Amino acid sequence: MYTIQNFADNDDIKTLMEMGPFKVIEYQRDLSVMPSDAMLAYYCNEMNVRKRQVICDLSKSNITLQAGAMQWMVGDVRATTGVKGVGDLFSKALRGSVTGESAIKPEYVGNGTLVLEPTYKHILLIDVADWNGSIVLDDGLFLACDSKLKHKAVMRSNFSSAVAGNEGLFNLGIQGSGILCLESACPREELIEITLENDVLKVDGNNAIAWSGSLDFTVERSGKTLVGSAASGEGLVNVYRGTGKVLLAPVIKGRV
């Protein structure tokens, strides 16, 4: 048995969202500051730059984490590699090498509480079932998920997506039924969700942070001809075609 006090019940902490085994909390003020940092802490608070943290209840589900994301754990919690054999190890190592993600993501099992490292980024909780059981992520977004979800490397529809679009050739795809936890530079309030029904979305830049696995992703000329593309000033655009959803982060500095 264990008891946790002065944590989620602290009056300086606000619960932002709960879904499945995950609870997202936010520190309303940074109380651990020195006089030399007081001005920075004040303006950070005014601009919604606050520390956020994820609490995982393992009694609800086993959790797979990005390597290095764990801060502390209490109770019956056991860490495993999640590797089920030599073939599985090779598959995960290959997927990690092409997607840029950690090759081995530790899996935590048991009935205790697991707390992740605090971050100034925004935490997004997504039910993969709402994406028809398949979602593809931009690089660096994955933080944690229900261990029932499967990970795979998703290759772009054409090689030009990597070369011309200044992107990697592979992305991390998540499939199955369960809750996914993402670490985003953009808050949920500023994300635009576009649902396509056998239609096409064209984006100038890598503003899409996640999209349905059912969509074809390519890089194409913005116009029908080279002259037309040059005249429009856009050149090449990222194209999402088919039926599914796309999450756009249009106001993140450096993504436009």
Side-chain angles (χ1 to χ4, degrees):
M1 293 288 293
Y2 64 89
T3 302
I4 303 174
Q5 294 178 311
N6 197 36
F7 185 34
D9 57 341
N10 189 306
D11 62 3
D12 187 48
I13 290 179
K14 176 183 178 181
T15 297
L16 298 181
M17 190 176 189
E18 291 186 69
M19 190 180 291
F22 301 110
K23 176 190 288 188
V24 181
I25 62 172
E26 180 182 77
Y27 292 81
Q28 298 305 288
R29 297 163 295 169
D30 190 349
L31 303 178
S32 304
V33 296
M34 299 300 289
S36 59
D37 303 322
M39 183 179 294
L40 177 61
Y42 173 80
Y43 284 108
C44 282
N45 185 68
E46 290 298 303
M47 294 301 295
N48 194 35
V49 181
R50 299 188 177 101
K51 289 180 181 177
R52 301 170 184 92
Q53 215 163 6
V54 179
I55 304 172
C56 309
D57 183 354
L58 292 178
S59 66
K60 296 181 178 180
S61 175
N62 296 339
I63 303 294
T64 299
L65 291 188
Q66 183 66 277
M70 187 275 291
Q71 186 186 53
W72 59 275
M73 51 190 178
V74 61
D76 177 22
V77 181
R78 301 178 302 280
T80 73
T81 62
V83 176
K84 300 176 176 61
V86 175
D88 188 39
L89 174 62
F90 177 77
S91 174
K92 290 180 176 178
L94 181 60
R95 184 182 67 228
S97 67
V98 297
T99 62
E101 298 281 339
S102 57
I104 304 299
K105 294 179 172 61
E107 182 178 332
Y108 291 84
V109 302
N111 292 291
T113 297
L114 172 68
V115 181
L116 308 192
E117 291 280 0
T119 177
Y120 282 108
K121 289 187 177 182
H122 300 274
I123 307 300
L124 310 177
L125 298 182
I126 292 177
D127 188 343
V128 181
D130 293 339
W131 293 69
N132 290 325
S134 179
I135 186 171
V136 183
L137 306 177
D138 195 20
D139 296 341
L141 261 73
F142 178 84
L143 180 61
C145 72
D146 187 316
S147 292
K148 296 193 300 291
L149 291 168
K150 298 185 182 299
H151 302 225
K152 65 176 294 186
V154 178
M155 187 176 181
R156 305 294 173 83
S157 296
N158 60 354
F159 184 71
S160 65
S161 299
V163 179
N166 195 29
E167 301 272 357
L169 185 58
F170 293 87
N171 285 93
L172 177 64
I174 306 293
Q175 297 179 334
S177 177
I179 307 302
L180 174 63
C181 184
L182 305 181
E183 199 175 29
S184 169
C186 185
R188 187 65 183 88
E189 293 83 355
E190 291 183 343
L191 290 175
I192 300 172
E193 183 176 302
I194 298 176
T195 301
L196 300 175
E197 292 287 344
N198 194 27
D199 213 324
V200 180
L201 169 67
K202 297 182 179 182
V203 183
D204 179 24
N206 61 335
N207 298 98
I209 67 169
W211 55 94
S212 297
S214 56
L215 294 173
D216 288 328
F217 175 30
T218 61
V219 172
E220 302 173 8
R221 294 194 300 267
S222 59
K224 293 183 178 180
T225 65
L226 288 173
V227 174
S229 295
S232 69
E234 302 299 338
L236 297 168
V237 293
N238 290 328
V239 179
Y240 305 85
R241 182 178 283 105
T243 297
K245 297 196 293 186
V246 180
L247 272 183
L248 290 179
V251 297
I252 297 180
K253 184 178 181 181
R255 300 190 68 88
V256 294

